[in-house]
Amino acid sequence: MIALSLIPLYLVAVTLPLILAAIFGGPPRPFHQELASGLGILAFAIVLAEFVLSGRFKSVANRIGMDVTMRFHQLMARTALLFALVHPFLYQGSPSGGQRPWDPSRQLTLTTDLSALATGIAAYLLLPSLVLLSIYRTQLDYKYETWRLMHGISALLIALFLLHHTIYAGRYGAETPLTWLWVAMTAIAVGSLIYVYLIVPMKDKRQRWQVSAINRLSPRQWEVIVSPRGHSGLNYKAGQFVWLNIGHSPYSLHENPFSISSAPSSGPNVSFVIKELGDFTRSLHQVQPGTRAYLDGPYGSLTIEDRCEPGIVLVAGGVGIAPLLGIVREIRLTGDPRKVRLIYGNRTEEQILYADELADEDVTHVLTEPPQDWQGETGLIDAILLDLILPPVQVQDWLFVLCGPSAMMDTVEDYLIARGTPSGRILSERFEYD
Ligand SMILES: Cc1cc2nc3c(=O)[nH]c(=O)nc-3n(C[C@H](O)[C@H](O)[C@H](O)COP(=O)(O)OP(=O)(O)OC[C@H]3O[C@@H](n4cnc5c(N)ncnc54)[C@H](O)[C@@H]3O)c2cc1C
């Protein structure tokens, strides 16, 4: 519900320049020219809003969820690209020749001022590159941090080029109220970059942490525990996540999102369950207790605090157990009376984490490659299995909290929706944005 209130806010932000253009613009021009300007204006406004959508603002990400925010960011980037690509072609056939003294509102002619067009052309070439490099990021062989740096710099350049182009080539951008609006919106966009890369690290720097323990839990999964140094710790809710930076400067791009697997009520130490995947996670064996760490957060909306359902079904796949562990632990520590059951899928038995701790819980273990003497469920967590193990009362009335591989989450979500569980009773967190 609170998340829905952000939609009108977003719509107002991206359409405000268009509305001001309609109010303050000069006499109308042929439809195709107005459409061209309108699409250009919308594309630029969407590009600027993208900075805020990717900017780790808790008021956005904690209401909607970081995965949903990022998917919206990707969708809107494609929309802006489409509008921007069409924009210049719609001016075809319009008279050009630069600013004419008898046409100060640029009603009859298009500018041919090279500097104003050059910034537009530069942005026109950069924007598709930015979007395509993001879409094909995982297929290209460069580090995530390199991509992130390139993404930030290109986005900044596009915003500045578009600001120049809009004010100096655009008919509407030249109107004073519009000029000021574009400058203010660009300042907010650039400010959000400054916030993420300078102000947040500055704050994090004052709140140092250190790795207090690091344990191998299974061949490719680790437990990392960090302790606050000289402060009282993190104020978080069970199920949330942070950006974790181990051993680097707080200003470095070497930070990764990880769910917190500890319970807030367990004290100031914060623990994580981390699966080896790429550069950072595969180097965990080199991390020594005592190593400096920084935490940016908490973020995320995978929390059950304000929920009033009589019971909770947690569905975890692999390392997706991390945030759900935090929730189980918090429920136990606080004596929360709600019923909890956990459906925990893994490939092999050795991947099951904290089996002893979870033995006291109502857990259904599911393995795709079970050993011969396996007593639990087998196969994937799919509709057939869920029909078998979930009584109708749980499907109808309980809260579902999902975290795991995308395929598992899609299957479980589709199953629940098909069986009549309202989408508002399904909470989920995806570890991949793509
Ligand atoms: C909200 C959230 C919570 C997560 N919780 C956990 C968890 O509890 N345990 C766990 O094992 N994994 C978790 N992950 C996944 C984890 O962040 C990645 O596995 C990890 O960042 C990979 O880093 P790497 O350097 O080892 O691999 P790389 O090869 O550098 O990255 C592999 C992929 O991980 C993602 N990734 C890497 N760095 C970042 C970054 N800074 N920001 C966003 N995405 C990044 C990218 O999609 C990248 O393609 C979570 C992800 C998200 C988004």
Side-chain angles (χ1 to χ4, degrees), residues 10 14 43 45-57 60-61 64-81 127 130-131 133-135 137 144 147-148 151-152 155-156 189 192-193 197 433-434:
Y10 178 82
V14 296
I46 294 173
V47 164
L48 293 178
E50 290 289 90
F51 285 78
V52 179
L53 283 180
S54 61
R56 290 199 211 170
F57 292 100
V60 179
I64 313 176
M66 186 62 90
D67 48 356
V68 179
T69 313
M70 292 313 292
R71 264 183 281 150
F72 188 64
H73 172 84
Q74 293 163 351
L75 180 72
M76 292 320 291
R78 290 162 169 87
T79 310
L81 177 62
L127 188 60
L130 179 86
V131 176
L133 281 177
S134 305
I135 294 173
R137 172 177 65 79
Y144 184 84
W147 170 80
R148 205 173 146 198
H151 194 72
L156 180 64
S192 71
L193 274 188
Y197 293 104
Y433 302 143
D434 306 313

Side-chain angles (χ1 to χ4, degrees), residues 56 66-67 137-138 143-145 148 241-243 253-260 272-282 319-320 322-323 429-434:
R56 290 199 211 170
M66 186 62 90
D67 48 356
R137 172 177 65 79
T138 46
K143 290 171 74 173
Y144 184 84
E145 288 73 22
R148 205 173 146 198
F241 72 93
V242 295
W243 256 267
L253 292 176
H254 290 274
E255 46 165 15
N256 303 62
F258 291 108
S259 299
I260 302 171
F272 304 94
V273 173
I274 299 182
K275 182 179 173 183
E276 290 181 9
L277 184 73
D279 302 337
F280 166 65
T281 48
R282 284 206 204 117
V319 75
E429 181 87 80
R430 287 172 194 256
F431 286 177
E432 310 114 45
Y433 302 143
D434 306 313

Side-chain angles (χ1 to χ4, degrees), residues 108-430:
L108 301 174
T109 50
L110 291 180
T111 183
T112 48
D113 174 0
L114 191 63
S115 72
L117 288 180
T119 44
I121 293 167
Y124 194 84
L125 296 174
L126 264 178
L127 188 60
S129 324
L130 179 86
V131 176
L132 288 175
L133 281 177
S134 305
I135 294 173
Y136 296 106
R137 172 177 65 79
T138 46
Q139 277 103 303
L140 300 168
D141 191 22
Y142 49 78
K143 290 171 74 173
Y144 184 84
E145 288 73 22
T146 314
W147 170 80
R148 205 173 146 198
L149 184 67
M150 279 168 26
H151 194 72
I153 293 174
S154 323
L156 180 64
L157 285 176
I158 290 171
L160 297 178
F161 286 156
L162 285 181
L163 178 66
H164 182 269
H165 174 69
T166 306
I167 291 175
Y168 291 100
R171 174 194 184 197
Y172 295 108
E175 303 286 342
T176 312
L178 260 295
T179 304
W180 281 110
L181 179 67
W182 285 124
V183 170
M185 285 178 71
T186 309
I188 293 173
V190 176
S192 71
L193 274 188
I194 295 173
Y195 175 77
V196 173
Y197 293 104
L198 284 178
I199 298 178
V200 170
M202 240 184 259
K203 283 201 285 184
D204 293 346
K205 199 175 174 185
R206 288 200 295 268
Q207 300 245 300
R208 278 179 61 170
W209 295 73
Q210 77 174 25
V211 175
S212 50
I214 175 152
N215 308 305
R216 196 187 276 277
L217 298 172
S218 78
R220 288 183 56 211
Q221 297 179 100
W222 295 82
E223 176 188 64
V224 177
I225 304 176
V226 295
S227 318
R229 294 277 314 270
H231 58 95
S232 57
L234 187 74
N235 185 10
Y236 66 98
K237 294 179 186 163
Q240 288 193 295
F241 72 93
V242 295
W243 256 267
L244 176 66
N245 166 338
I246 295 186
H248 295 280
S249 148
Y251 299 97
S252 128
L253 292 176
H254 290 274
E255 46 165 15
N256 303 62
F258 291 108
S259 299
I260 302 171
S261 58
S262 50
S265 303
S266 65
N269 287 359
V270 172
S271 64
F272 304 94
V273 173
I274 299 182
K275 182 179 173 183
E276 290 181 9
L277 184 73
D279 302 337
F280 166 65
T281 48
R282 284 206 204 117
S283 67
L284 280 173
H285 63 279
Q286 295 166 2
V287 173
Q288 296 296 324
T291 308
R292 190 180 52 186
Y294 296 100
L295 267 56
D296 172 26
Y299 294 95
S301 54
L302 197 75
T303 57
I304 58 154
E305 265 188 10
D306 304 325
R307 307 297 306 213
C308 51
E309 288 82 358
I312 304 160
V313 181
L314 306 168
V315 187
V319 75
I321 191 68
L324 307 190
L325 264 175
I327 292 174
V328 172
R329 288 170 168 166
E330 182 69 2
I331 285 176
R332 293 295 157 247
L333 273 173
T334 55
D336 190 323
R338 282 176 286 185
K339 296 188 191 108
V340 181
R341 70 174 293 192
L342 172 65
I343 302 169
Y344 183 17
N346 279 291
R347 194 167 52 80
T348 63
E349 193 174 11
E350 67 179 0
Q351 290 171 342
I352 298 175
L353 304 183
Y354 303 103
D356 292 344
E357 181 183 340
L358 292 174
D360 296 337
E361 306 293 334
D362 178 2
V363 189
T364 307
H365 286 288
V366 187
L367 293 184
T368 48
E369 294 175 19
Q372 291 223 317
D373 57 347
W374 178 245
Q375 304 290 315
E377 300 294 339
T378 56
L380 295 168
I381 301 180
D382 56 14
I384 298 169
L385 177 85
L386 293 172
D387 264 340
L388 203 70
I389 62 175
L390 285 178
V393 65
Q394 293 182 2
V395 177
Q396 298 306 319
D397 299 336
W398 286 26
L399 175 68
F400 284 80
V401 187
L402 325 178
C403 191
S406 287
M408 181 210 88
M409 307 229 319
D410 291 342
T411 306
V412 179
E413 273 172 9
D414 291 349
Y415 169 86
L416 291 172
I417 299 288
R419 297 291 184 281
T421 310
S423 58
R425 272 205 277 110
I426 307 170
L427 306 181
S428 63
E429 181 87 80
R430 287 172 194 256

